[in-house]
Amino acid sequence: MTQLSSTRKLEDRLCSTSSRQADWICAARSDMADDMAIATPSRLDHVQALRGLAAMLVLFAHLALIEGRTATNPILPSSLDWGMMGVDLFFVISGFIMVYVTRDWQAGGGQNRMLGRVPEFLFARATRIYPLYWVVTAALFAVWLVRPDLVFSSSPNNPTVINTLFLIPGWAYPLLEVGWTLVYEMMFYVLFALLLFLPRRFRPLGLLVWAAIALAGNLFSWQSQIPALSVTSTAIAFHLFNPLVFEFLAGAAVGWLYLTRTGDKTVSLALILFGLIGMGMWIFSAVPFEDGWPRVLRLTLPAGALVLGAAWLDHSKVKAPRFAVTLGDWSYSLYLTHLLSLVALSKLWQMAGLQDLPSPLLILIMLSGALIVAGLTYRFIEKPLINLARSGRKRLFT
C-alpha cells in the first residue's frame, strides 16, 4: 500500500511538470483509469429498461394513429398522442448517459493532449447513431422508389439528401420521419463534446452556461422583430434554442446528481412512482399533446425523476425484469423500424379487405409485427454493427 501511494505521489509530481515524459505518463494514467471506468461499470439495467418503455410509448402513439386510418371501427383513444412523451424520456436518458459514460474522463486525457478524448467520444456517438439509421433509411428509400405511398411522412416539406444522411438541422423531416429526434441527439452530442475540454469539476458550470444561453436565445429570438435574429430565420437556430434542449440538460443534471448522491431502494421506488404518475396521467387527461414549452414543462421533471429512480435502483443492486432489459436493448431498432412495420402491415390489411375485422386483432398483429421486426433487426443488423464499431474504436483510440 505504501509503495502504491509513493508511486502515485511521484506521478502527481511528474504531472505538474511540462516534460514530454510527464505528458506521456499522465496520459497513460488517465487512459488506464478511464478504460477501467468504462469497461467495468455496473450495467444500468433499469435505465436500459426505460429505453424500452420510451420506444413502446412512441410505438403506441403511432399505432393509434395508423389503426384509426385502417380499421372501420378503431378503438384506440386519441389521447395516445401523449405516447410521443417517449421522445422526451429518450432525451432525458441521453443527457444522463452522456454524463455517466464520461464520468471519469479528464480534460486532455487520451492520445492527443490538446483534443483529449473528444474525438473518441464523437466517434462512439456517431457510430452508435448513424450505421443502423443509414441501413433503415436505405431500406425506406428502396420502398419509396417502388411505392411512395407506403412512406409515412407528415412533414410539409420534402426531405433533402444532406439533412437526411447526416441529420443536419433543417426545416423538413429526414426521409425516415423519426429521424427528426436524431437531429437533436447529434446536436446534443456535438455541444456536449465541447464540455469535455473543461476540467471535470467545471462541467456542471458548463451545463449551466449552456442552459442560460439556450434560454436567452429562445426568449430573445422568439420576441425579436428583426428577421435575422428570429429563431424561425434559420433551422439551426430553431434547434439550438428549442425547449427540447432543456430535456437533455435536465438528464445531464440528473447524471451529476446520481454521481454525487445515493438513494436507497425506498427513495428510488418513490421517484419511479412519481415519474410514472407524472408522465402517465397526461394520457388519461383531456389535455391535448402540445409541442414546445408545454411538453417540456409538463414532462421534464417526471422524466428526470424516473431516470434518477431507475439509476439509483440499479445502484441498489435490484435486478430489472429480463424482458424489460431485452426490450431496452431492442429500443433503437424498434424506434427506427416501427413506423415502417406499422404502415406496411396496415397496407396489407387494407389490400386484403380486412378493415371490418375486429380492431383488437389488427392491433395485436401490428404490435407483434413491429416487435418481431425490431428483434430481428437488433439481432442480425444492429448488434453486429455495435460490435464492429467497438472494434474500430479500440483500434483507433487504444
Coordinates of all heavy atoms in Angstrom, one line a residue, residues 34-92:
D34 N -9.7 5.7 -17.2 CA -10.9 5.8 -18.0 C -11.3 4.4 -18.5 O -12.5 4.1 -18.5 CB -10.7 6.8 -19.2 CG -10.6 8.2 -18.7 OD1 -11.0 8.5 -17.5 OD2 -10.1 9.0 -19.5
D35 N -10.3 3.6 -19.0 CA -10.7 2.3 -19.5 C -11.3 1.5 -18.5 O -12.2 0.7 -18.7 CB -9.4 1.7 -20.1 CG -9.0 2.3 -21.5 OD1 -9.8 3.1 -22.0 OD2 -7.9 2.1 -21.9
M36 N -10.7 1.5 -17.3 CA -11.3 0.7 -16.2 C -12.7 1.2 -15.9 O -13.6 0.4 -15.6 CB -10.4 0.9 -14.9 CG -9.0 0.2 -15.1 SD -7.9 0.6 -13.7 CE -8.8 -0.1 -12.3
A37 N -12.9 2.5 -15.9 CA -14.2 3.0 -15.5 C -15.3 2.7 -16.6 O -16.4 2.3 -16.3 CB -14.2 4.5 -15.3
I38 N -14.8 2.7 -17.9 CA -15.8 2.4 -18.9 C -16.0 0.9 -19.1 O -17.1 0.5 -19.3 CB -15.2 3.0 -20.3 CG1 -15.2 4.5 -20.2 CG2 -16.0 2.5 -21.4 CD1 -14.4 5.1 -21.4
A39 N -15.0 0.1 -18.8 CA -15.1 -1.3 -19.1 C -15.8 -2.0 -17.9 O -16.4 -3.1 -18.2 CB -13.7 -1.9 -19.2
T40 N -15.8 -1.5 -16.7 CA -16.3 -2.2 -15.6 C -17.4 -1.5 -14.8 O -17.4 -1.7 -13.6 CB -15.2 -2.7 -14.6 OG1 -14.5 -1.5 -14.2 CG2 -14.2 -3.6 -15.3
P41 N -18.2 -0.6 -15.4 CA -19.3 -0.1 -14.6 C -20.4 -1.1 -14.4 O -20.5 -2.0 -15.2 CB -19.8 1.1 -15.4 CG -19.5 0.7 -16.8 CD -18.3 -0.2 -16.8
S42 N -21.2 -0.9 -13.4 CA -22.4 -1.8 -13.2 C -23.3 -1.4 -14.4 O -23.5 -0.3 -14.6 CB -23.0 -1.6 -11.9 OG -23.4 -0.2 -11.7
R43 N -23.9 -2.4 -15.0 CA -24.8 -2.2 -16.1 C -26.1 -1.6 -15.5 O -26.7 -2.1 -14.6 CB -25.1 -3.5 -16.8 CG -26.1 -3.4 -18.0 CD -26.3 -4.8 -18.6 NE -27.5 -4.8 -19.4 CZ -27.6 -4.6 -20.7 NH1 -26.5 -4.2 -21.3 NH2 -28.7 -4.7 -21.3
L44 N -26.5 -0.5 -16.1 CA -27.7 0.2 -15.7 C -29.0 -0.4 -16.3 O -29.6 0.2 -17.2 CB -27.6 1.7 -15.9 CG -26.5 2.4 -15.3 CD1 -26.4 3.9 -15.7 CD2 -26.5 2.3 -13.7
D45 N -29.4 -1.6 -15.8 CA -30.4 -2.3 -16.5 C -31.8 -1.6 -16.4 O -32.6 -1.7 -17.3 CB -30.5 -3.7 -15.9 CG -29.5 -4.7 -16.4 OD1 -28.9 -4.3 -17.5 OD2 -29.3 -5.7 -15.8
H46 N -32.1 -1.0 -15.2 CA -33.3 -0.3 -15.1 C -33.4 0.9 -16.1 O -34.5 1.3 -16.6 CB -33.6 0.2 -13.7 CG -33.9 -1.0 -12.8 ND1 -33.0 -1.7 -12.1 CD2 -35.1 -1.5 -12.4 CE1 -33.6 -2.6 -11.3 NE2 -34.9 -2.6 -11.6
V47 N -32.3 1.6 -16.2 CA -32.2 2.7 -17.2 C -32.4 2.2 -18.6 O -33.1 2.8 -19.4 CB -30.9 3.5 -17.0 CG1 -30.8 4.6 -18.1 CG2 -30.8 4.1 -15.7
Q48 N -31.8 1.0 -18.9 CA -31.9 0.4 -20.2 C -33.4 0.0 -20.4 O -33.9 0.2 -21.5 CB -31.0 -0.8 -20.3 CG -31.0 -1.5 -21.6 CD -30.3 -0.7 -22.7 OE1 -29.9 0.4 -22.5 NE2 -30.1 -1.3 -23.8
A49 N -34.1 -0.4 -19.4 CA -35.5 -0.8 -19.5 C -36.3 0.4 -19.8 O -37.3 0.3 -20.5 CB -36.0 -1.4 -18.2
L50 N -35.9 1.6 -19.3 CA -36.6 2.8 -19.6 C -36.5 3.2 -21.1 O -37.5 3.8 -21.7 CB -36.1 4.0 -18.8 CG -36.4 4.0 -17.3 CD1 -35.9 5.3 -16.7 CD2 -37.9 3.9 -17.1
R51 N -35.5 2.8 -21.7 CA -35.4 3.0 -23.2 C -36.5 2.2 -23.9 O -37.1 2.7 -24.8 CB -34.0 2.5 -23.7 CG -32.8 3.4 -23.3 CD -31.6 2.8 -23.9 NE -30.3 3.3 -23.5 CZ -29.7 4.3 -24.0 NH1 -30.2 5.0 -25.0 NH2 -28.5 4.7 -23.5
G52 N -36.7 1.0 -23.4 CA -37.7 0.1 -24.0 C -39.1 0.8 -23.8 O -39.9 0.8 -24.7
L53 N -39.3 1.3 -22.6 CA -40.6 2.0 -22.3 C -40.8 3.2 -23.2 O -41.9 3.4 -23.7 CB -40.6 2.5 -20.8 CG -41.8 3.3 -20.4 CD1 -43.1 2.6 -20.5 CD2 -41.6 3.8 -18.9
A54 N -39.7 4.0 -23.4 CA -39.8 5.1 -24.3 C -40.2 4.7 -25.7 O -41.0 5.3 -26.3 CB -38.5 5.9 -24.3
A55 N -39.5 3.7 -26.2 CA -39.8 3.2 -27.6 C -41.2 2.7 -27.7 O -41.9 2.9 -28.7 CB -38.8 2.1 -28.0
M56 N -41.7 2.0 -26.6 CA -43.1 1.5 -26.7 C -44.1 2.6 -26.6 O -45.2 2.5 -27.3 CB -43.3 0.5 -25.5 CG -42.6 -0.8 -25.6 SD -43.1 -1.8 -27.1 CE -44.8 -2.1 -26.7
L57 N -43.8 3.7 -25.9 CA -44.7 4.8 -25.9 C -44.9 5.4 -27.3 O -46.0 5.7 -27.7 CB -44.2 5.9 -24.9 CG -44.4 5.5 -23.4 CD1 -43.6 6.5 -22.5 CD2 -45.9 5.6 -23.0
V58 N -43.8 5.6 -27.9 CA -43.8 6.2 -29.3 C -44.5 5.2 -30.2 O -45.3 5.6 -31.1 CB -42.4 6.5 -29.8 CG1 -42.5 7.0 -31.2 CG2 -41.7 7.5 -28.9
L59 N -44.3 3.9 -30.1 CA -44.9 2.9 -30.9 C -46.5 3.0 -30.7 O -47.2 3.0 -31.7 CB -44.4 1.5 -30.5 CG -45.2 0.3 -31.0 CD1 -45.2 0.3 -32.5 CD2 -44.6 -1.0 -30.4
F60 N -46.9 3.1 -29.5 CA -48.4 3.2 -29.3 C -49.0 4.5 -29.8 O -50.1 4.5 -30.3 CB -48.7 3.0 -27.8 CG -48.9 1.6 -27.4 CD1 -47.9 0.9 -26.8 CD2 -50.1 0.9 -27.7 CE1 -48.1 -0.5 -26.4 CE2 -50.3 -0.4 -27.3 CZ -49.3 -1.1 -26.7
A61 N -48.2 5.6 -29.8 CA -48.7 6.8 -30.3 C -49.0 6.6 -31.8 O -50.0 7.0 -32.4 CB -47.7 7.9 -30.1
H62 N -48.0 6.0 -32.5 CA -48.2 5.8 -34.0 C -49.2 4.7 -34.3 O -49.9 4.7 -35.3 CB -46.8 5.5 -34.6 CG -45.9 6.7 -34.6 ND1 -44.5 6.6 -34.4 CD2 -46.2 8.0 -34.9 CE1 -44.0 7.9 -34.5 NE2 -45.0 8.7 -34.8
L63 N -49.2 3.7 -33.4 CA -50.2 2.6 -33.6 C -51.6 3.1 -33.6 O -52.5 2.7 -34.4 CB -50.0 1.6 -32.5 CG -50.9 0.3 -32.5 CD1 -50.8 -0.4 -33.8 CD2 -50.7 -0.6 -31.3
A64 N -51.9 4.0 -32.6 CA -53.2 4.6 -32.5 C -53.6 5.4 -33.8 O -54.7 5.3 -34.3 CB -53.3 5.5 -31.3
L65 N -52.6 6.1 -34.3 CA -52.8 6.9 -35.5 C -53.1 6.1 -36.7 O -54.1 6.3 -37.5 CB -51.6 7.8 -35.7 CG -51.6 8.7 -37.0 CD1 -52.7 9.8 -36.8 CD2 -50.2 9.4 -37.2
I66 N -52.3 5.0 -36.9 CA -52.5 4.2 -38.0 C -53.7 3.2 -37.9 O -54.4 3.0 -38.9 CB -51.2 3.3 -38.3 CG1 -50.0 4.3 -38.6 CG2 -51.3 2.3 -39.4 CD1 -48.7 3.7 -38.7
E67 N -54.0 2.8 -36.7 CA -55.2 2.0 -36.5 C -56.4 2.8 -36.9 O -57.4 2.3 -37.5 CB -55.3 1.5 -35.1 CG -56.5 0.6 -34.8 CD -57.5 1.1 -33.8 OE1 -57.3 2.3 -33.3 OE2 -58.5 0.4 -33.5
G68 N -56.4 4.1 -36.5 CA -57.5 5.0 -36.9 C -57.7 5.2 -38.4 O -58.9 5.4 -38.8
R69 N -56.7 5.0 -39.1 CA -56.8 5.1 -40.6 C -57.1 3.8 -41.3 O -57.4 3.8 -42.5 CB -55.4 5.7 -41.1 CG -55.1 7.1 -40.7 CD -53.7 7.5 -41.2 NE -53.4 8.9 -40.9 CZ -52.2 9.4 -41.2 NH1 -51.3 8.8 -41.8 NH2 -52.0 10.7 -40.8
T70 N -56.9 2.7 -40.5 CA -57.0 1.4 -41.2 C -58.3 0.7 -40.8 O -58.9 0.1 -41.7 CB -55.8 0.5 -40.7 OG1 -54.6 1.2 -40.9 CG2 -55.8 -0.8 -41.4
A71 N -58.7 0.7 -39.6 CA -59.9 -0.1 -39.1 C -61.1 0.7 -39.4 O -61.2 1.9 -39.3 CB -59.7 -0.5 -37.7
T72 N -62.2 0.0 -39.6 CA -63.5 0.6 -39.8 C -64.0 1.1 -38.5 O -64.6 2.2 -38.4 CB -64.5 -0.4 -40.3 OG1 -64.1 -1.0 -41.6 CG2 -65.9 0.2 -40.5
N73 N -63.8 0.4 -37.4 CA -64.2 0.8 -36.0 C -63.0 0.8 -35.1 O -62.8 -0.1 -34.3 CB -65.3 -0.2 -35.5 CG -66.5 -0.2 -36.4 OD1 -67.1 0.9 -36.5 ND2 -66.8 -1.3 -36.9
P74 N -62.2 1.9 -35.2 CA -61.0 1.9 -34.3 C -61.3 2.1 -32.9 O -62.4 2.7 -32.6 CB -60.2 3.2 -34.9 CG -61.3 4.0 -35.5 CD -62.3 3.0 -36.1
I75 N -60.5 1.6 -32.0 CA -60.8 1.6 -30.6 C -59.7 2.3 -29.8 O -60.0 2.7 -28.6 CB -61.0 0.2 -30.0 CG1 -59.7 -0.6 -30.2 CG2 -62.1 -0.5 -30.7 CD1 -59.7 -2.0 -29.5
L76 N -58.6 2.6 -30.3 CA -57.5 3.2 -29.5 C -57.8 4.7 -29.4 O -58.2 5.4 -30.4 CB -56.1 3.0 -30.2 CG -55.6 1.6 -30.2 CD1 -54.3 1.5 -30.9 CD2 -55.5 1.1 -28.7
P77 N -57.7 5.3 -28.2 CA -58.1 6.7 -28.0 C -57.1 7.6 -28.6 O -55.9 7.3 -28.7 CB -58.1 6.8 -26.5 CG -57.2 5.8 -26.0 CD -57.3 4.6 -26.9
S78 N -57.6 8.8 -28.9 CA -56.7 9.8 -29.5 C -55.7 10.4 -28.4 O -54.6 10.9 -28.8 CB -57.5 11.0 -30.0 OG -58.3 11.6 -29.0
S79 N -56.0 10.1 -27.2 CA -55.1 10.6 -26.1 C -53.8 9.9 -26.1 O -52.8 10.3 -25.5 CB -55.7 10.4 -24.7 OG -56.0 9.0 -24.5
L80 N -53.7 8.8 -26.9 CA -52.4 8.1 -27.1 C -51.4 8.9 -27.8 O -50.2 8.5 -28.0 CB -52.6 6.7 -27.7 CG -53.1 5.6 -26.8 CD1 -53.3 4.3 -27.6 CD2 -52.1 5.4 -25.7
D81 N -51.8 10.1 -28.4 CA -50.9 11.0 -28.9 C -49.8 11.3 -27.8 O -48.6 11.7 -28.2 CB -51.6 12.3 -29.3 CG -52.3 12.2 -30.6 OD1 -52.1 11.2 -31.3 OD2 -53.1 13.2 -30.9
W82 N -50.2 11.3 -26.6 CA -49.2 11.5 -25.5 C -48.1 10.5 -25.4 O -47.1 10.6 -24.7 CB -50.0 11.6 -24.1 CG -50.6 12.9 -23.9 CD1 -51.9 13.3 -24.1 CD2 -49.9 14.1 -23.4 NE1 -52.0 14.6 -23.7 CE2 -50.8 15.1 -23.3 CE3 -48.6 14.3 -23.0 CZ2 -50.5 16.4 -22.8 CZ3 -48.2 15.6 -22.6 CH2 -49.2 16.6 -22.5
G83 N -48.3 9.4 -26.2 CA -47.2 8.4 -26.3 C -45.9 9.0 -26.8 O -44.8 8.5 -26.6
M84 N -46.1 10.2 -27.5 CA -44.9 10.9 -28.0 C -44.0 11.4 -26.9 O -42.8 11.8 -27.1 CB -45.3 12.0 -28.9 CG -45.9 11.6 -30.2 SD -44.9 10.4 -31.2 CE -43.4 11.4 -31.5
M85 N -44.5 11.3 -25.6 CA -43.6 11.6 -24.5 C -42.4 10.6 -24.4 O -41.5 10.9 -23.7 CB -44.4 11.5 -23.2 CG -44.9 10.1 -22.8 SD -45.7 10.1 -21.2 CE -47.2 10.9 -21.5
G86 N -42.5 9.5 -25.1 CA -41.3 8.6 -25.2 C -40.1 9.4 -25.7 O -39.0 9.1 -25.3
V87 N -40.3 10.3 -26.6 CA -39.2 11.1 -27.1 C -38.6 11.9 -26.0 O -37.3 12.0 -25.9 CB -39.7 12.0 -28.3 CG1 -38.6 13.0 -28.7 CG2 -40.1 11.2 -29.5
D88 N -39.4 12.5 -25.2 CA -38.9 13.3 -24.1 C -38.1 12.5 -23.1 O -37.1 12.9 -22.6 CB -40.1 14.0 -23.4 CG -41.0 14.8 -24.3 OD1 -41.8 14.2 -25.0 OD2 -40.7 16.0 -24.5
L89 N -38.6 11.3 -22.9 CA -37.9 10.4 -22.0 C -36.6 10.0 -22.6 O -35.5 9.9 -21.9 CB -38.8 9.1 -21.7 CG -38.2 8.1 -20.7 CD1 -37.8 8.7 -19.4 CD2 -39.2 6.9 -20.5
F90 N -36.6 9.7 -23.9 CA -35.3 9.4 -24.6 C -34.3 10.5 -24.4 O -33.1 10.3 -24.1 CB -35.5 9.2 -26.1 CG -35.8 7.8 -26.5 CD1 -36.9 7.5 -27.3 CD2 -35.0 6.8 -26.1 CE1 -37.2 6.2 -27.7 CE2 -35.2 5.5 -26.5 CZ -36.3 5.2 -27.3
F91 N -34.7 11.8 -24.5 CA -33.8 12.9 -24.4 C -33.2 13.0 -23.0 O -32.0 13.3 -22.8 CB -34.5 14.2 -24.8 CG -34.7 14.4 -26.3 CD1 -35.6 15.4 -26.8 CD2 -34.1 13.6 -27.2 CE1 -35.8 15.5 -28.2 CE2 -34.3 13.7 -28.6 CZ -35.1 14.7 -29.1
V92 N -34.1 12.8 -22.0 CA -33.6 12.9 -20.6 C -32.6 11.8 -20.4 O -31.5 12.0 -19.8 CB -34.7 12.8 -19.6 CG1 -34.2 12.7 -18.2 CG2 -35.6 14.1 -19.8

